[in-house]
Amino acid sequence: MSEKSFAVVLRGLRQRSRLTMEGLADVSGVSVRAIGDMERGRSRVPQRRTVVALAEGLGLADAELESLLVAARAARSTRAMARTAVPRLVGDFTGRDRELARLTEAAARSGAGVGVSVSVVSGPPGCGKTALALKAAADLAGDFPDGCFVVDLHGVEGPLDPGEAMLKLLRALGVPDRRLAQEDPQGRAGLLRVLLAERRCLVVLDNARDEGQVRPLLPGGGRSLVVVTSRRPLTGLEDVDRLALSEMAQPEAVELLRRILGEARADAEAEAVARVAELCGRLPLALRVAGNWLTVRSGWNVDHLVRRLTDEERRLGALVAGDVRVEAAFELSYRQLTGQAARMLRLLSLVPGPDMTAAYGAALTATGVFEAEDVMEELIEAGLVQATYTGRYQLHDLLRLFARAHLSREEEPAEREAAEDRLRTWLLETAAVAGRWYKPGYGAPPPSWQGLVSLESAEQARDWLQSEAHAWLAALRGAAQRNEHALVVETADAMGWFCGVWVWAHWTEVFRLSSEAAAALDAPYLRAVHLNYCAWALSICEHRDREAIERADEALEFARRAQDATQQAWALMYAVTPHRRFGELQEGFDKVRAAADLFEAAGDHDGWIGAIGVYGGCLRDLDRAEEALVQHERVITFLDAPECPVTGHAADTYRAIATGALGHDYAALGRWHEAAEFYRETVDQAHRTGQTILEGLTLLGLGEALNELGEAEEARSCFRQVLALKDAADSSHLRTAQELLDAHPAE
């Protein structure tokens, strides 16, 4: 009731009492003419004594009387309402088109009386929340004829009392002080709600501390729009539109610097300007400080600032312009944290990746995941950590440097080292458990394993290894630098089969580090194993085939020293593909035949299957495709046997490879229907088991077979599917697919 106009409220109450105007006049002592003018909004709204007389005539209860009084006060104050109060704007505001469009849509919805009337703009310190809100207010001022108003709530330092903020806003809306003096806090809140509900106003509540500070200032509906800015997402507010702000896109960041510096100066050092944007983490506050710094020092080139900012230990200290310091903006939020959250923030600066899960916080603090998640949520509420998407958190680059500086000042070196050790150990132990899902003889983690993440399936293991690859690779590097040779070797060995599932540019580095660790351990067998892995990575991942042969030859020598027939066989095997690429077909054929004999003598079923498959490929290279068919059918027969010792992922992998090889054999014989049939089966198997390299290769074969069968459009579809694999495919397969598409254009 309190949000309706006085005229509407009075008429509704009279009609509810089944009184005519004459009847109300009789019982209240107020004239019929006065009542009619009030209900039509044609006269001044009565004083309190008149309203009380009307209420008594209507027989209103205390609550209804108060509603009628609030409506009357609101009606009086609107006649003196200020028209506008648009604040001074930053003239070089840049970008944020999507966010401005969101606020424009919110304004349109509020004007139509639909949707929510409150938009919350949240984000980390320095991301430009206030600038965005003021820009929107300036752009939208014409849509709010009853005024645009800004109240700084000083939420980070010395927060404004909600009652004081309400008085400021009511005065800006034209309510006289004498009227305000007559009202208690509840009455003022009701008056504000009525004003914002009846009028078309835009109110910016800038820099809110928490929900309690802004709740009394929000409308209950109507056509006004309130934009709240806060470092916190204010998740306790209901029925609001949320807009999370973060750093700018790189082109926007560069454009902001161009506007500050001037286009001529910025474009003359375009590369350095782009680097400044990156070093500032594309954070608007940092960009503005850097731009202003260069503007004052007009005789210095931009590259000079780049050199200052490149030093991570000095970067925050360099981002100072007059009384504006980027570090100070972070410090205000940091000082509001609980001790537990402040420590978590400091330790999160040790995370080597761009983002993280709560498990990282748990590993760093030696706590449980749920406890760590609660603490990280506090950091989100403080605007110091961002939730990027479900279950992941991100620490801005400059905030990472800020947290690292506090870590150095506030944590004992021993505690910092212990936290680093906990994180590194957790990452590498988890990586090893995940990698062994794909290794014969392992599979699921043992029941005794208690991890911080779920690895209950091969798919979960793969997802973790891929999503956390940057972090566990950094941990592996750290372990190598600390001479933790056994840990490096163990982790890399766990990847020995998973590496065939995922095309990754860093496998060569992983196995180079493990080869060096094995050398430091002076163990011939381990040196053979990891040199073999390295040979595989050089050949398959980077096509550095001559180096691959060299590493395989080294591995063969150490395997002979260790008297290990299996590693001798693998060393011979890993040289075969490079030899075939060089056209050294007889060398490849001789090595794979010797490898197959060694595997068979050692009783290594996995190795024997792989060797027989490659042996068949070498026969095909030598124009002996019929013999190749026999070898690949041997593999399928072996895998189909009821007592086959090879099971699980390894069996699925070998079956897919052998089926694809049969497709190649039939293609070599010109039997295109059979080739296409086996290729289709292989594509399904490879996709199901996550063998992206094999999937891409087989799609190429299927496309060529279909072309031979006159199915040109389906063939082109196969080549497009290869390209759709993108980074997950072998680069040579991508090039071949594009070449085949170009060679067979659509008709």
Side-chain angles (χ1 to χ4, degrees), residues 671-687:
R671 294 165 62 176
W672 299 110
H673 284 289
E674 291 100 322
E677 181 181 346
F678 280 104
Y679 282 144
R680 285 195 174 95
E681 184 178 347
T682 304
V683 169
D684 291 340
Q685 292 175 345
H687 184 76

Side-chain angles (χ1 to χ4, degrees), residues 292-525:
N292 291 346
W293 191 90
L294 287 167
T295 301
V296 172
R297 297 161 179 81
S298 57
W300 291 16
N301 59 32
V302 180
D303 194 56
H304 180 83
L305 180 58
V306 170
R307 290 193 295 272
R308 287 173 62 93
L309 296 178
T310 300
D311 184 349
E312 288 191 347
E313 293 186 2
R314 298 178 57 197
R315 187 177 305 167
L316 282 174
L319 288 171
V320 176
D323 62 349
V324 181
R325 297 172 57 242
V326 172
E327 188 172 11
F330 299 160
E331 191 71 38
L332 290 172
S333 290
Y334 179 73
R335 288 204 299 262
Q336 295 177 7
L337 297 174
T338 63
Q340 192 178 21
R343 180 170 181 264
M344 176 72 83
L345 181 68
R346 296 192 296 269
L347 293 178
L348 289 179
S349 69
L350 299 173
V351 175
D355 61 2
M356 67 206 79
T357 64
Y360 285 79
L364 284 164
T365 57
T367 60
V369 174
F370 294 125
E371 183 179 349
E373 194 172 61
D374 289 342
V375 179
M376 293 178 81
E377 287 298 322
E378 181 183 341
L379 294 175
I380 291 174
E381 288 292 321
L384 295 173
V385 168
Q386 291 178 279
T388 53
Y389 51 95
T390 304
R392 299 201 74 85
Y393 306 87
Q394 187 173 51
L395 188 63
H396 188 274
D397 288 346
L398 294 181
L399 275 166
R400 187 187 301 274
L401 297 180
F402 172 83
R404 191 176 299 163
H406 275 275
L407 179 68
S408 298
R409 292 196 295 265
E410 300 180 40
E411 298 284 349
E412 293 294 331
E415 175 51 31
R416 171 177 176 162
E417 185 175 345
E420 288 180 315
D421 289 346
R422 288 193 296 269
L423 180 63
R424 184 173 63 258
T425 301
W426 169 70
L427 283 167
L428 295 183
E429 285 183 352
T430 306
V433 171
R436 289 185 185 123
W437 256 108
Y438 297 85
K439 194 175 178 68
Y442 286 90
S448 60
W449 185 71
Q450 298 293 323
L452 295 175
V453 296
S454 176
L455 298 176
E456 296 179 0
S457 68
E459 291 74 21
Q460 285 183 329
R462 175 174 179 164
D463 288 345
W464 190 90
L465 286 167
Q466 291 180 338
S467 63
E468 314 306 328
H470 184 94
W472 68 257
L473 176 59
L476 190 71
R477 292 168 180 156
Q481 291 169 0
R482 290 167 175 78
N483 297 323
E484 297 171 346
H485 304 308
L487 182 57
V488 172
V489 165
E490 180 183 6
T491 305
D493 184 67
M495 303 298 160
W497 285 71
F498 175 70
C499 62
V501 173
W502 179 36
V503 178
W504 191 35
H506 294 286
W507 287 125
T508 302
E509 181 184 1
V510 169
F511 296 126
R512 176 183 59 78
L513 291 173
S514 65
S515 296
E516 293 169 355
L521 293 171
D522 194 24
Y525 170 77

Side-chain angles (χ1 to χ4, degrees), residues 5-6 78 93 132 144 149 182 200 211 251 272 292 325 374 384 397 404 409 417 483 508 543 576 586 685 714:
S5 70
F6 178 78
T78 55
F93 184 91
L132 173 67
F144 294 91
F149 309 95
Q182 297 174 1
R200 176 78 166 137
E211 294 89 341
N292 291 346
R325 297 172 57 242
D374 289 342
L384 295 173
D397 288 346
R404 191 176 299 163
R409 292 196 295 265
E417 185 175 345
N483 297 323
T508 302
H543 291 196
V576 175
Q586 192 60 49
Q685 292 175 345
E714 188 179 351

Side-chain angles (χ1 to χ4, degrees), residues 237-319:
L237 295 181
E238 299 177 351
D239 197 27
V240 300
D241 187 28
R242 301 188 183 281
L243 202 165
L245 212 59
S246 59
E247 66 270 18
M248 305 179 84
Q250 178 69 4
E252 290 181 340
V254 170
E255 182 59 26
L256 176 56
L257 287 173
R258 289 180 76 241
R259 292 189 179 187
I260 296 173
L261 298 177
E263 294 182 2
R265 183 182 179 191
D267 292 347
E269 297 184 76
E271 186 174 340
V273 168
R275 183 61 179 145
V276 168
E278 293 171 355
L279 291 169
C280 287
R282 307 190 304 280
L283 196 69
L285 176 61
L287 293 166
R288 189 162 297 285
V289 168
N292 291 346
W293 191 90
L294 287 167
T295 301
V296 172
R297 297 161 179 81
S298 57
W300 291 16
N301 59 32
V302 180
D303 194 56
H304 180 83
L305 180 58
V306 170
R307 290 193 295 272
R308 287 173 62 93
L309 296 178
T310 300
D311 184 349
E312 288 191 347
E313 293 186 2
R314 298 178 57 197
R315 187 177 305 167
L316 282 174
L319 288 171

